[in-house]
Amino acid sequence: MPTIWLDGKWYDRETAMVSVYDHGLLYGDGVFEGIRIYGGKLFRLAEHLERLYDSAQAVWMTIPLAREEMAAVTEEAVRRSGITEGYIRHIVTRGVGDLGLDPRKCPRPSIIIIVDTIKLWPEEVYETGLKVVTAGTPIPQRESLSPRVKSLNYLAHILAKIEGVQAGADEVLMLDSSGSVAEGSGQNIFIVKRGRIATPPPFAGILKGVTRDVVIELARGAGYEVQETMLNRYDVYTADEAFFTGTAAEVVAIRQVDGRLIGAGKSGPVTRDLRARFQALVRS
Ligand code: PMP
């Protein structure tokens, strides 16, 4: 059953409420994480919590709970929920303040942990691949709001997602404001060309995905060459294979980008191999 921990108390979906004066709601002033539960175990909990605390640090926010306590209460939330295949959302908002921007009016950040399930696409998509279009909305400027911060400001990514929906696509490819390939609306992108794998580096203005890092590690361990390099749409259009990675998305093939079929127009051998390795790892 969905289980929610909010500032020290337990709730369910219907009873968990936040204040309308919470700056997370008023201004998107907060940070978050998403973690998978596989077979009752939390996948890469330490990495996700490290990113959560780093995101908070980057926006001058002190999470009023030590990392070990956060890990313990997260584990307890999963146990209480009884969910063994699911998804955890951590949210830390600036907390309740007044109607001004000033975070000094928010004495204490609020912590929310939601344990629930998630399913982005039907199972067959992992074989047929996603239809993707490039969004006109670029990712936010690197030096304005660092994409390394997983903040509650997701509007650019949501606008891009809506563009994809309007175009009848499954997902979108987001570029930076100079036209380099960045990421999906909530995924990192990889391409495969002549057996070599490439993905944009963190400095391209992407979120440094935990799944991305796991897939790079798995690929290198399996003997693939992986380059972290700037990519243009040309590189994606002419790739033999392309795929997205993400906590919710896992490893998912891309069939088509802006009307160009990618490779054979379905999940390719490298994508399939890496997906299988990823599935084996999360179950290990
Ligand atoms: N980019 C963005 C913008 C995201 O929201 C996500 C999902 N957290 C990712 C990439 C993938 O990151 P991860 O593998 O850590 O889920």
Side-chain angles (χ1 to χ4, degrees), residues 143-164:
E143 301 315 323
S144 163
L145 179 61
S146 171
R148 300 291 296 276
V149 176
K150 198 164 168 60
S151 83
L152 295 179
N153 285 256
Y154 254 55
L155 205 42
H157 289 72
I158 290 166
L159 296 182
K161 181 79 193 173
I162 294 170
E163 289 182 55

Side-chain angles (χ1 to χ4, degrees), residues 48 51 150 154 157 183 185-188 207 209-211 246-247:
H48 283 286
R51 190 169 66 186
K150 198 164 168 60
Y154 254 55
H157 289 72
E183 60 187 352
S185 67
Q187 306 84 19
N188 293 114
L207 183 78
V210 171
T211 320
T247 295

Side-chain angles (χ1 to χ4, degrees), residues 16-76:
M17 303 282 169
V18 294
S19 164
V20 293
Y21 286 89
D22 190 301
H23 280 210
L25 173 67
L26 288 173
Y27 298 115
D29 187 355
V31 295
F32 76 104
E33 266 307 319
I35 306 178
R36 277 268 191 180
I37 310 160
Y38 292 109
K41 293 205 209 96
L42 290 77
F43 184 65
R44 294 291 197 260
L45 174 66
E47 286 81 352
H48 283 286
L49 289 187
E50 182 175 6
R51 190 169 66 186
L52 181 70
Y53 281 76
D54 284 350
S55 291
Q57 162 74 12
V59 301
W60 284 280
M61 194 185 283
T62 305
I63 300 179
L65 195 66
R67 207 185 294 192
E68 309 72 57
E69 293 173 78
M70 184 73 90
V73 72
T74 305
E75 302 261 16
E76 193 188 342

Side-chain angles (χ1 to χ4, degrees), residues 152-226:
L152 295 179
N153 285 256
Y154 254 55
L155 205 42
H157 289 72
I158 290 166
L159 296 182
K161 181 79 193 173
I162 294 170
E163 289 182 55
V165 171
Q166 301 271 347
D170 302 304
E171 242 318 313
V172 284
L173 175 61
M174 293 184 76
L175 309 176
D176 66 14
S177 26
S178 70
S180 291
V181 167
E183 60 187 352
S185 67
Q187 306 84 19
N188 293 114
I189 187 165
F190 286 75
I191 62 167
V192 185
K193 184 75 172 177
R194 286 187 222 93
R196 288 206 193 111
I197 300 169
T199 191
F203 66 76
I206 58 167
L207 183 78
K208 191 170 177 288
V210 171
T211 320
R212 168 193 184 276
D213 291 353
V214 168
V215 166
I216 291 175
E217 220 177 275
L218 283 174
R220 287 189 177 141
Y224 293 102
E225 188 187 315
V226 184

Side-chain angles (χ1 to χ4, degrees), residues 23 62 64 93-98 102-110:
H23 280 210
T62 305
T93 74
R94 188 76 65 184
V96 174
D98 65 12
D102 193 341
R104 288 174 300 184
K105 304 283 177 59
C106 307
R108 191 184 160 89
S110 261

